[in-house]
Amino acid sequence: DVKVTQSSRYLVKRTGEKVFLECVQDMDHENMFWYRQDPGLGLRLIYFSYDVKMKEKGDIPEGYSVSREKKERFSLILESASTNQTSMYLCASRGTDSPLHFGNGTRLTVT
Amino acid sequence: QKEVEQNSGPLSVPEGAIASLNCTYSDRGSQSFFWYRQYSGKSPELIMSIYSNGDKEDGRFTAQLNKASQYVSLLIRDSQPSDSATYLCAVSGSARQLTFGSGTQLTVLP
C-alpha cells in the first residue's frame, strides 16, 4: 500500500511565524501535491511537483512556497503565517496515470 | 477551464437502499476517473478507479463510466450508516493533477 506521511496532525502557530509542513511518500512517485481544504470551498491545489527540484503553481500559491530536494519528500512553507491560512493541509502523491494517495492531513491553526 | 460537477447534496437514503452519486466533466480528453470517500475531519481515501467505458464493481460499490456523455457515477448497494461521508469525484487527463468536484454529502439513515 502507498503510504504518504505528514509530519504533524495538528499545529498551532502565531501570526508572522515561518511554518514548515513536511510530507514523505514511500512509493517512488514522481508527482507530489499540496492542497488545502476549507468548509464550503472544497480541495484547492496550492503547489505540485513532478520531479526533484521542479515545482508548479496550483490555484492558490500566494503566501506559500515549496521545496523538493529528494524524490520522496515535499515540503510546504508558509513564509509568514497569517490567520487566513488556518486550514486543513493535505499532501498527496501519484505515479503516472495512477490514483492520488493522500496523507492524513495537518490541521493548522494560526492565532 | 476544466470542470467537474457533482450532484448537489446533501443526499439522504435509508439503510439498505441504493445510493446513487453522479458526476459530469467538461474535458473530453479525460482518461482516468476516481471516487474518493472523505469522513468528517479525515483525508480523502480512494474507493474506486475506472478507466474505460462500462461498469466496474468492487463489493457493494459500482462505478459507471460513459465517456460519450461525459459522466461517471458511483452506486452504493445495501447502504450502511458507515457509508455516511462526503464523496468526491476526480478526473485526470494529460495533466499531472486531478480535477476534483466539490463533493456530495451522503447520509445513510438507520
Side-chain angles (χ1 to χ4, degrees):
Chain A
D1 273 354
V2 176
K3 192 164 180 64
V4 180
T5 303
Q6 294 184 230
S7 54
S8 302
R9 189 76 180 91
Y10 299 95
L11 271 181
V12 179
K13 297 291 181 180
R14 293 197 179 274
T15 302
E17 277 193 79
K18 191 169 186 176
V19 182
F20 293 86
L21 302 182
E22 307 286 346
C23 176
V24 176
Q25 51 97 2
D26 67 355
M27 283 302 292
D28 201 37
H29 285 163
E30 58 271 23
N31 304 298
M32 296 188 74
F33 306 80
W34 276 105
Y35 292 87
R36 65 178 282 178
Q37 189 174 36
D38 303 285
L41 296 178
L43 281 165
R44 293 184 290 170
L45 181 63
I46 304 171
Y47 267 99
F48 68 99
S49 168
Y50 54 90
D51 202 351
V52 174
K53 298 191 186 296
M54 306 304 290
K55 62 184 179 183
E56 284 198 25
K57 293 179 180 179
D59 301 318
I60 52 163
E62 297 79 18
Y64 303 94
S65 61
V66 290
S67 172
R68 194 166 181 200
E69 297 296 320
K70 293 184 178 182
K71 191 173 185 180
E72 68 270 19
R73 187 179 296 272
F74 191 36
S75 302
L76 179 70
I77 303 153
L78 286 65
E79 296 290 343
S80 177
S82 64
T83 54
N84 63 12
Q85 293 178 310
T86 292
S87 186
M88 169 72 95
Y89 289 87
L90 293 162
C91 176
S93 73
R94 74 181 295 220
T96 304
D97 294 329
S98 70
L100 198 62
H101 296 272
F102 288 90
N104 286 335
T106 296
R107 188 166 292 281
L108 173 67
T109 302
V110 182
T111 62
Chain B
Q1 175 121 3
K2 299 174 185 176
E3 292 184 349
V4 175
E5 301 281 346
Q6 294 187 239
N7 51 330
S8 59
L11 175 66
S12 294
V13 299
E15 184 175 354
I18 296 175
S20 177
L21 305 165
N22 299 317
C23 173
T24 60
Y25 58 94
S26 63
D27 182 9
R28 282 198 171 273
S30 299
Q31 300 164 359
S32 307
F33 306 85
F34 309 98
W35 282 100
Y36 289 83
R37 177 177 62 200
Q38 186 174 24
Y39 292 113
S40 180
K42 303 292 187 183
S43 62
E45 58 176 320
L46 178 73
I47 52 173
M48 291 288 284
S49 305
I50 186 165
Y51 302 95
S52 55
N53 279 331
D55 295 0
K56 179 181 177 183
E57 189 173 314
D58 183 0
R60 296 185 296 110
F61 298 98
T62 299
Q64 300 174 316
L65 175 61
N66 184 322
K67 289 186 177 180
S69 300
Q70 294 177 245
Y71 85 80
V72 57
S73 63
L74 179 72
L75 300 178
I76 307 174
R77 291 182 301 281
D78 189 23
S79 295
Q80 301 296 309
S82 58
D83 295 325
S84 297
T86 296
Y87 289 80
L88 300 168
C89 172
V91 174
S92 173
S94 57
R96 294 178 175 90
Q97 66 268 41
L98 273 62
T99 302
F100 283 87
S102 57
T104 299
Q105 186 178 340
L106 172 67
T107 300
V108 180
L109 303 169

